Amino acid sequence: MSENPTQPGPGAGPGDDLMVKAEQVHKSFGLIHVLKGIDLEVRRGEVFCLVGPSGSGKSTFLRCINHLEKISAGRLYVDGELVGYRQRGERLYELREREVAFQRRDIGMVFQRFNLFPHMTAAENVMEAPVQVKGIARGDARRIAEALLERVGLADRMNTYPAQLSGGQQQRVAIARALAMDPKLMLFDEPTSALDPELVGEVLDVMRQLAEDGMTMVVVTHEMGFAREVGDSLVFMDDGVVVESGHPRDVLTDPQHERTKAFLSKVL
């Protein structure tokens, strides 16, 4: 088990109402310092939106939440547990990949690109992880897949292959696939950015329904209307730091920081 050079500070993990807590999270790629001390909290059942210009560190931070990227310093908790590390005394030690994979089972992620298996039908794509990771019987996994595809409006596309689906339909299959693992947290990395404009709405509608159902969601997005309408909290990031945060309507209609004002003037 490799030792992480991070020196953790004193203190317990986050409270029971927190799903995600970041404490002074840094991430560097070589000499490039991408995240520069991120502190933020996501509460259970909250829709937490991350906005900002390209290259601001939003997607990198999202990938750190499920340890697809290893943080360089600081701490990240999901549901009260350190992500990717175990603490012993005053040191953090990196978990084995098998242990990290076990943590990831509870965190669903939807990427910009759909990443569906092209040789599998929609239902088979949704079934794969429950069968292979959780050991669920194929018949039970099929029933889960059918229910989830119906939930995202694709009951009539169960046996359709990805190449025969529109981009919006493929992204809805990807959402159903993430939900098949019954996650307690969903991460969305600009889920509509690869879609034609007329297909964006059908994906956002599914995300709205998830929010109404109480799913905790962290969403990197350029869809300011969605953030304003559905979001509970919004963070504006730039150059690896949190510049401004608050309720989406407050930040979007009355930004306090000049950098936030400049960014929003170009996207609203």
Side-chain angles (χ1 to χ4, degrees), residues 10-75:
D16 291 342
D17 63 333
L18 294 183
M19 182 59 74
V20 180
K21 184 176 178 66
E23 297 178 343
Q24 281 296 296
V25 170
H26 290 255
K27 174 62 182 177
S28 296
F29 295 97
L31 298 177
I32 302 173
H33 199 178
V34 178
L35 300 177
K36 303 172 182 177
I38 301 295
D39 289 301
L40 56 79
E41 297 178 349
V42 181
R43 304 195 177 279
R44 295 182 190 280
E46 187 173 38
V47 179
F48 191 97
C49 297
L50 289 168
V51 304
S54 297
S56 59
K58 308 181 304 296
S59 293
T60 297
F61 177 73
L62 199 74
R63 292 170 65 86
C64 287
I65 293 176
N66 63 359
H67 208 59
L68 287 176
E69 297 289 354
K70 301 174 184 178
I71 65 175
S72 304
R75 291 181 178 191

Side-chain angles (χ1 to χ4, degrees), residues 20 60 110 112 116 134 145 155 175 180-181 185 205 221:
V20 180
T60 297
V110 179
Q112 296 179 36
L116 299 178
K134 285 192 168 182
I175 293 172
M181 293 294 286
L185 171 66
D205 285 344
T221 184

